Amino acid sequence: MLTDLKITAIEPFADGATFGASGAYERVRGTFKGALDPNDARNKAIVNIDKAPRNAAGRVEYEGEFFILRPADAARGSGKLLYDVVNRGRKGMHTRFMDAMPATLADSNDPKTMTDAGNGLLLRRGYTLVWSSLDQDAPRANNNLALSTVYATHNGAPIEKVIRDEIVADTRVRAPAGKDAPKWKTMRLTHEAASLDQAKTQLTTRRNEADARVEIPANGWKFINAREIALLPEGTNPQPGTLYEIHYPAKNPKVLGIGFTAVRDLISYLRNDKSANNPARGIKATLAYGSSWSGRFLRDFIHDGFNQDEAARKVFDGVFSHIAGGGGVFMNYEFGQPVRTSTQHEDRAFPETQFPFSTARMSDPHSGKTDALFRNDGFDPLLIETNTSTEYWQKGASLLTTDPLGLRDVELPANSRVYLVASTQHGGTVGLRPAYGSCANLRNPHSPNPALRALLIALDEWVSEGKAPPASRVPRVADGTLVKSGEVRFPAIPGANKFTGMNDIRLLRDWIKPDVDATKIYGARVPQVDADGNETSGIRLPDISVPLATYTGWNLYQTPFPDGELCDRDGSYFPLAVTRAERETKKDPRLSLEERYGSHAAYVQRVNEAVQQLVAQRMLLPEDAKRLAERAKSAEIAQRFDPNANIANALEGASHTPHDL
């Protein structure tokens, strides 16, 4: 439970600008402290809580920070709290739901101007927006929020254990606008080494995940300190994309699962405390949102029972998990490594995408377990899960709606919905432009945000009014829209580097050895595509239903990264030819813009029809329908229909780098 909360600052947001009926907003910052009873059944799910230091009352203490944007006049607010699970300490919902585009990560983590309000949707609807510390491993730079460190011990003595780290250079380093991405020179360990004796440590290398490991001898590397190693001779940098694996004795594991209770206890206080000290004021309903890592955090939060507080009250009424696939977070473990995110190429043998995948209760033929994401104990929230195409290719998203072998579709509980936003990529958001980066194909710029906004409002209405959201919209086994990767009928687009497979989800027995059973593969599947290569199922926004290009959730690495491997969590982008003559010259099987639309005006009419249909289906807000219709009429899009225009120039521009990767 929370034992103390202090408000350290209250400031006007955006110089006192008003947002519709909600009026002006305030920034509220402060600190909070909690104390956990290790013997409470609701806390026993925390790994090593029994080994954490205790105060005089026998409680385990923690502390963190919070940041709130609230209506300055509480009476003008909606009475609804929207909590954003910080992604490794980073805020994200204002960039996702309001299309805010802060210039830097530090700015994104300290919203204070109209730029940070974007389209103002959440503020106009009167939400109280809350962020807080939950991750002890989160970096503290750039205004990140990190939780206090709590170490487990053996009766005061350090815990030591041989563990495994996987280190991959440069694959997940994003370049600042107009600059090259920084290159790794050393390699950092996730935990502190208990010994710098190289005889107790083994370092291996392999180019691809399936390759045999080759040991690097002691004269080929060195410890710089207990958290950092370097290759030898001096000046040798890690090879981009190569997998370096190190087994080493580590010490001082953190009790990382406290992060779940830090969220639980803060939200419970903000929802239920009636004192003047409560900075949230008059909360009647609570919603949570998480994207990527944060979405996986919310899945664990539900499954492990943290949506019930210590007074047996529900914490979140509704939860929105985006791009989490079928996974959780490698957090509530001894020597957990929350930073991990599994893909075909890296972090593949760490706990993430594991049974149970779905909210539907079922049996797993590989592990022998019977379980579900939902506990069915009266504390499950109303849940919306959305994924992009990438999570089907990389993170087993199809297992949310099929049996573990992928042989049949399953019926979800009435309090659960799942949606695919067709032909989008993991990091897709507003402001992206096609760019190669480390990939062989141009990256997918298609933003799922308009669909997400509509579904957030649907979740709100579900919680507040009992108005059920639209039925789940996903690819299915029964109608042939969900298939094995080898059955995808992708067109022979000239110059396209095509996938050779997907990230198979396998039974993981031991992450330290590691021990993965390659004979026990779950039935993850991917969406089928149309003649253009765009996905036929899910929520098809106008970029897909009235296309100017082919958009995918997969891409491949380019040199110097491993050839043929799926490129992290990126999608691909292949523009359509403008004219029939151009298409035939290139031998492109996809109809040109000229052949399918005839004119820019006809294209605009098709977009108008598509957005109105989505509004009627509650998959798009009227304000987004208007924006998309205006974009279709824009000079930028009109230029795409000009056979004399340079398409590359029409597409070029600053590419916004999403901060939630």
Side-chain angles (χ1 to χ4, degrees), residues 253-324:
K254 299 168 185 172
V255 188
L256 295 168
I258 289 174
F260 294 106
T261 59
V263 173
R264 179 195 69 189
D265 296 348
L266 176 64
I267 299 305
S268 180
Y269 177 91
L270 296 178
R271 177 174 190 159
N272 298 297
D273 183 78
K274 305 304 181 185
S275 74
N277 188 56
N278 186 342
R281 306 184 306 184
I283 297 303
K284 302 171 185 174
T286 52
L287 307 174
Y289 165 74
S291 174
S292 189
W293 186 98
S294 305
R296 292 188 278 126
F297 177 97
L298 285 170
R299 285 172 53 85
D300 283 347
F301 185 91
I302 295 167
H303 178 260
D304 293 344
F306 294 109
N307 206 42
Q308 177 186 180
D309 73 7
E310 289 181 328
R313 297 171 298 196
K314 184 177 286 189
V315 179
F316 292 114
D317 299 305
V319 166
F320 192 133
S321 171
H322 179 53
I323 54 176

Side-chain angles (χ1 to χ4, degrees), residues 400-427:
L400 299 179
T401 58
T402 73
D403 71 287
L405 297 182
L407 299 178
R408 60 180 177 86
D409 306 306
V410 297
E411 183 177 351
L412 300 181
N415 52 340
S416 172
R417 296 288 190 278
V418 178
Y419 306 93
L420 161 68
V421 187
S423 294
T424 50
Q425 72 166 25
H426 183 85

Side-chain angles (χ1 to χ4, degrees), residues 490-491 493 532-534 547-552 572-576 590:
F490 195 75
I493 300 173
D532 295 322
N534 288 317
L548 299 176
T550 297
Y551 302 83
T552 79
S572 300
Y573 172 75
F574 308 104
L576 297 170
R590 302 169 299 163

Side-chain angles (χ1 to χ4, degrees), residues 213-443:
R213 293 165 173 83
V214 177
E215 184 169 0
I216 300 176
N219 64 1
W221 68 279
K222 68 176 181 178
F223 276 106
I224 296 176
N225 53 53
R227 291 293 300 273
E228 198 171 10
I229 65 174
L231 299 177
L232 296 175
E234 297 287 347
T236 303
N237 293 344
Q239 186 178 10
T242 290
L243 307 178
Y244 296 91
E245 190 171 86
I246 182 169
H247 284 78
Y248 64 103
K251 65 179 181 179
N252 297 329
K254 299 168 185 172
V255 188
L256 295 168
I258 289 174
F260 294 106
T261 59
V263 173
R264 179 195 69 189
D265 296 348
L266 176 64
I267 299 305
S268 180
Y269 177 91
L270 296 178
R271 177 174 190 159
N272 298 297
D273 183 78
K274 305 304 181 185
S275 74
N277 188 56
N278 186 342
R281 306 184 306 184
I283 297 303
K284 302 171 185 174
T286 52
L287 307 174
Y289 165 74
S291 174
S292 189
W293 186 98
S294 305
R296 292 188 278 126
F297 177 97
L298 285 170
R299 285 172 53 85
D300 283 347
F301 185 91
I302 295 167
H303 178 260
D304 293 344
F306 294 109
N307 206 42
Q308 177 186 180
D309 73 7
E310 289 181 328
R313 297 171 298 196
K314 184 177 286 189
V315 179
F316 292 114
D317 299 305
V319 166
F320 192 133
S321 171
H322 179 53
I323 54 176
V329 178
F330 184 20
M331 182 167 171
N332 194 21
Y333 294 77
E334 184 172 77
F335 290 102
Q337 301 176 24
V339 72
R340 299 289 172 193
T341 182
S342 175
T343 60
Q344 181 198 47
H345 181 62
E346 60 187 284
D347 289 348
R348 196 173 183 183
F350 289 96
E352 181 178 323
T353 308
Q354 302 183 100
F355 184 85
F357 311 105
S358 175
T359 54
R361 188 171 180 82
M362 61 188 86
S363 297
D364 175 15
H366 292 332
S367 68
K369 298 177 181 177
T370 298
D371 202 354
L373 186 72
F374 277 167
R375 299 171 66 84
N376 198 28
D377 58 0
F379 295 95
D380 293 325
L382 299 175
L383 175 64
I384 283 180
E385 297 188 85
T386 56
N387 285 287
T388 70
S389 173
T390 302
E391 286 72 59
Y392 282 78
W393 285 89
Q394 289 280 32
K395 292 180 176 291
S398 66
L399 297 170
L400 299 179
T401 58
T402 73
D403 71 287
L405 297 182
L407 299 178
R408 60 180 177 86
D409 306 306
V410 297
E411 183 177 351
L412 300 181
N415 52 340
S416 172
R417 296 288 190 278
V418 178
Y419 306 93
L420 161 68
V421 187
S423 294
T424 50
Q425 72 166 25
H426 183 85
T429 190
V430 66
L432 288 180
R433 293 282 185 168
Y436 286 101
S438 54
C439 301
N441 302 319
L442 288 169
R443 287 175 175 152

Side-chain angles (χ1 to χ4, degrees), residues 82-86 90-94 130-132 288-290 294:
L82 179 56
Y83 181 75
D84 182 16
V85 178
V86 292
R90 304 187 295 262
K91 302 177 178 71
M93 67 177 159
H94 55 313
V130 180
W131 297 265
S132 69
Y289 165 74
S294 305

Side-chain angles (χ1 to χ4, degrees), residues 39-76:
N39 297 314
D40 190 308
R42 300 170 187 86
N43 298 327
K44 285 189 174 182
I46 303 171
V47 172
N48 279 348
I49 188 69
D50 57 323
K51 297 180 175 65
R54 306 185 187 189
N55 62 17
R59 302 295 196 262
V60 176
E61 298 181 332
Y62 66 87
E63 56 186 285
E65 302 171 88
F66 67 84
F67 184 101
I68 295 175
L69 286 179
R70 70 183 188 189
D73 180 353
R76 299 179 70 174

